[in-house]
């Protein structure tokens, strides 16, 4: 992404590009009591074992059409866990999450709050690309979700940022629309969860980029409170 395009993204989100990213005022939204049912597994696990298991997974039909699984990438000791819904074509080809245009915007969104991609861990609920980039089916989400829960148990993040309606509804076990899920703090197994519009949606909807910026500031403010 060239610098001019990057500045357009940031300005569209209402960010003053000449000021430090973390100097903005942070307003904390109302706290939700939403709790998901999934408990962290207590068995001995490791990143290497989990990644190998994901790479060879054939538990649902997506294994028949994928090029490769997309396990996730980033810092395995990160405070921040970023979760999307499923890999797209570019991700399926490269084996990495969020590497297309939406991924470029996500990178800039993280930079805007003072984070590099290498400082966070990024993954999806579903580890294989659905054909033609369709939405993942409920059975595919439920089949793949235990892998995500094991990633969470290994990472032990301080904050979870969920991107988009499908991932948010699946993770929080709700059918509430994303407009009602964003702007507040949820919880999953005691970990704060903030819902943000998906970068792919933001590329099409300029008017909601300021809301995404507000949600990222909420997440940043929450982490700072945890760290004291």
């Amino acid at each position: 992404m060239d610098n001019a395009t990057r500045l357009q993204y940031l300005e569209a989100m209402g960010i003053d590009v000449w000021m430090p990213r973390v100097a903005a005022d942070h307003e904390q939204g109302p706290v939700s009591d939403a709790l998901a049912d999934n408990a962290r597994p207590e068995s001995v696990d490791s990143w290497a074992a989990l990644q190998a298991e994901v790479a060879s997974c054939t538990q649902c039909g997506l294994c028949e059409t994928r090029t490769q699984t997309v396990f996730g990438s980033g810092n395995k000791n990160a405070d921040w866990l970023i979760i999307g819904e499923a890999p797209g074509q570019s991700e399926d080809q490269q084996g990495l999450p969020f590497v297309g245009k939406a991924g470029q915007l996500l990178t800039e969104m993280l930079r805007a709050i003072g984070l590099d991609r290498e400082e966070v861990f990024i993954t999806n609920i579903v580890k294989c690309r659905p054909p033609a980039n369709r939405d993942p089916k409920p059975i595919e989400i439920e089949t793949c979700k235990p892998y995500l829960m094991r990633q969470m148990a290994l990472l032990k993040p301080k904050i979870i940022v969920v991107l988009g309606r499908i991932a948010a509804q699946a993770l929080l076990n709700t059918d509430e629309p994303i407009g009602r899920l964003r702007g507040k703090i949820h919880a999953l197994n005691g970990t704060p969860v903030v819902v943000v519009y998906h970068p792919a949606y933001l590329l099409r909807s300029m008017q909601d980029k300021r809301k995404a910026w507000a949600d990222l500031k909420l997440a940043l403010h929450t982490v700072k409170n945890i760290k004291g």
Side-chain angles (χ1 to χ4, degrees):
M1 178 184 294
D2 59 36
N3 192 54
T5 303
R6 175 173 176 256
L7 292 179
Q8 288 178 358
Y9 281 146
L10 298 182
E11 289 171 359
M13 292 177 70
I15 305 168
D16 186 346
V17 297
W18 301 110
M19 294 181 64
R21 301 299 182 231
V22 297
D25 293 333
H26 306 293
E27 297 182 358
Q28 185 168 359
V31 177
S32 160
D33 291 330
L35 293 172
D37 296 331
N38 304 76
R40 291 179 178 175
E42 297 182 356
S43 58
V44 175
D45 208 346
S46 72
W47 283 107
L50 179 55
Q51 188 162 2
E53 191 173 336
V54 169
S56 61
C57 180
T58 57
Q59 293 190 56
C60 79
L62 292 182
C63 68
E64 299 174 3
T65 56
R66 74 188 182 212
T67 301
Q68 59 189 315
T69 58
V70 181
F71 180 77
S73 67
N75 184 348
K76 293 185 175 66
N77 295 303
D79 291 338
W80 291 67
L81 174 60
I82 315 295
I83 303 173
E85 60 188 60
Q89 182 177 12
S90 297
E91 291 76 16
D92 177 66
Q93 292 171 346
Q94 298 184 41
L96 296 170
F98 285 91
V99 292
K101 291 183 179 179
Q104 292 174 349
L105 178 55
L106 175 60
T107 298
E108 297 307 322
M109 292 166 66
L110 292 171
R111 285 178 178 170
I113 55 171
L115 294 171
D116 291 327
R117 282 184 65 124
E118 293 75 16
E119 295 181 72
V120 307
F121 192 83
I122 305 173
T123 190
N124 291 291
I125 287 185
V126 173
K127 310 304 185 189
C128 298
R129 178 198 179 197
N133 289 353
R134 64 162 170 76
D135 293 343
K137 298 176 182 179
I139 186 61
E140 294 164 351
I141 291 173
E142 290 307 310
T143 299
C144 211
K145 197 173 178 180
Y147 291 137
L148 174 64
M149 302 308 293
R150 288 167 62 186
Q151 286 177 314
M152 289 176 54
L154 288 167
L155 188 66
K156 297 180 176 62
K158 289 184 170 61
I159 187 79
I160 299 171
V161 174
V162 187
L163 304 175
R165 173 186 61 85
I166 293 175
Q169 290 178 342
L171 198 65
L172 297 174
N173 193 27
T174 181
D175 58 2
E176 285 284 322
I178 190 169
R180 294 182 182 176
L181 294 174
R182 60 156 301 274
K184 63 186 72 173
I185 302 170
H186 304 269
L188 178 63
N189 300 329
T191 302
V193 177
V194 173
V195 176
V196 181
Y197 287 115
H198 196 286
Y201 168 77
L202 294 175
L203 288 171
R204 305 187 302 269
S205 305
M206 297 285 290
Q207 71 274 13
D208 284 327
K209 289 184 178 180
R210 291 179 184 272
K211 294 179 182 178
W213 173 232
D215 292 331
L216 288 174
K217 289 195 294 181
L218 173 60
L220 183 63
H221 183 70
T222 302
V223 171
K224 287 187 173 181
N225 282 346
I226 293 172
K227 290 183 175 181

